Amino acid sequence: MFDDVLLRCSLIFCLAGAGLWDLWIRRIPNWWLTFWFALGLGYLMNSSWLAAAGYLARNAAAVGILFLFFLCRMMGAGDIKCMALICGYLGFASGFFVIGTGMAVGACWSLGKLFYRKQFRDRLGLLTAYIRRTIQEKRLIVYDVSEEDKREVTVPLVFCLFWGLCGFLLIYPF
């Protein structure tokens, strides 16, 4: 059921558009994600109510698990919604593969940016200070950078998730 060609094609178009928005303006419109959420739900409701319930449960579980990263400002809301759509469309096993592959693409991109700008040592120092402070204070602290620094250091994660989906489709084609 989750290997349905129509669902995979829908997810490709969803992530391609969202990835381009994330790359160009660093923001994904809610109407775009709502359209693809409703399309997937409608398609699965037409299939069976159990499939639709599973879709809703997977979306809710993914948002619930990833919401902690949003609270710490480590991920944007659009990133989390796209990851929830991936899990909703593909299921948890395939969804985690796509997300993991997308995260690996994002990590390589980020490391490349850090080495190119010669900021690796500085950013590693900031990360270790954040981890040390979080452990010492025994609470979650917002991991945030200044606004002028934000465009320079962030990576468009949904664009990377799109490439993770492309990698998944190379391994598990239609």
Side-chain angles (χ1 to χ4, degrees):
M1 172 174 51
F2 298 110
D3 292 326
D4 197 338
V5 174
L6 187 59
L7 284 176
R8 285 187 177 198
C9 287
S10 297
L11 190 58
I12 290 169
F13 284 117
C14 171
L15 287 182
L20 289 174
W21 263 307
D22 198 18
L23 184 64
W24 287 326
I25 62 172
R26 305 283 191 197
R27 188 165 177 79
I28 304 158
N30 282 329
W31 65 266
W32 181 259
L33 298 175
T34 303
F35 171 77
W36 294 105
F37 175 81
L39 186 77
L41 182 61
Y43 179 78
L44 291 172
M45 283 178 74
N46 193 30
S47 172
S48 76
W49 70 269
L50 193 57
Y55 174 77
L56 290 172
R58 285 188 302 278
N59 274 288
V63 168
I65 292 168
L66 296 168
F67 190 68
L68 179 65
F69 293 103
F70 174 73
L71 289 177
C72 293
R73 300 292 185 257
M74 294 177 179
M75 247 184 242
D79 301 332
I80 293 170
K81 292 174 208 171
C82 284
M83 289 181 200
L85 279 174
I86 291 169
C87 289
Y89 271 74
L90 298 176
F92 281 124
S94 298
F96 288 150
F97 181 86
V98 170
I99 292 168
T101 306
M103 291 282 197
V105 169
C108 291
W109 186 342
S110 180
L111 277 174
K113 282 177 77 171
L114 289 175
F115 284 125
Y116 178 76
R117 294 192 171 132
K118 298 178 176 134
Q119 296 176 332
F120 181 76
R121 186 174 290 159
D122 296 336
R123 294 292 171 185
L124 191 60
L126 290 172
L127 178 63
T128 55
Y130 168 77
I131 292 170
R132 187 179 315 116
R133 184 172 168 213
T134 301
I135 291 171
Q136 286 175 346
E137 294 185 18
K138 297 179 183 166
R139 66 182 180 94
L140 288 176
I141 301 165
V142 172
Y143 185 79
D144 208 2
V145 294
S146 64
E147 283 300 319
E148 67 267 357
D149 217 14
K150 193 168 281 193
R151 176 101 177 149
E152 185 177 312
V153 299
T154 58
V155 172
L157 185 57
V158 177
F159 188 72
C160 298
L161 292 175
F162 169 73
W163 288 108
L165 178 64
C166 291
F168 171 77
L169 292 175
L170 284 174
I171 296 170
Y172 303 105
F174 299 101

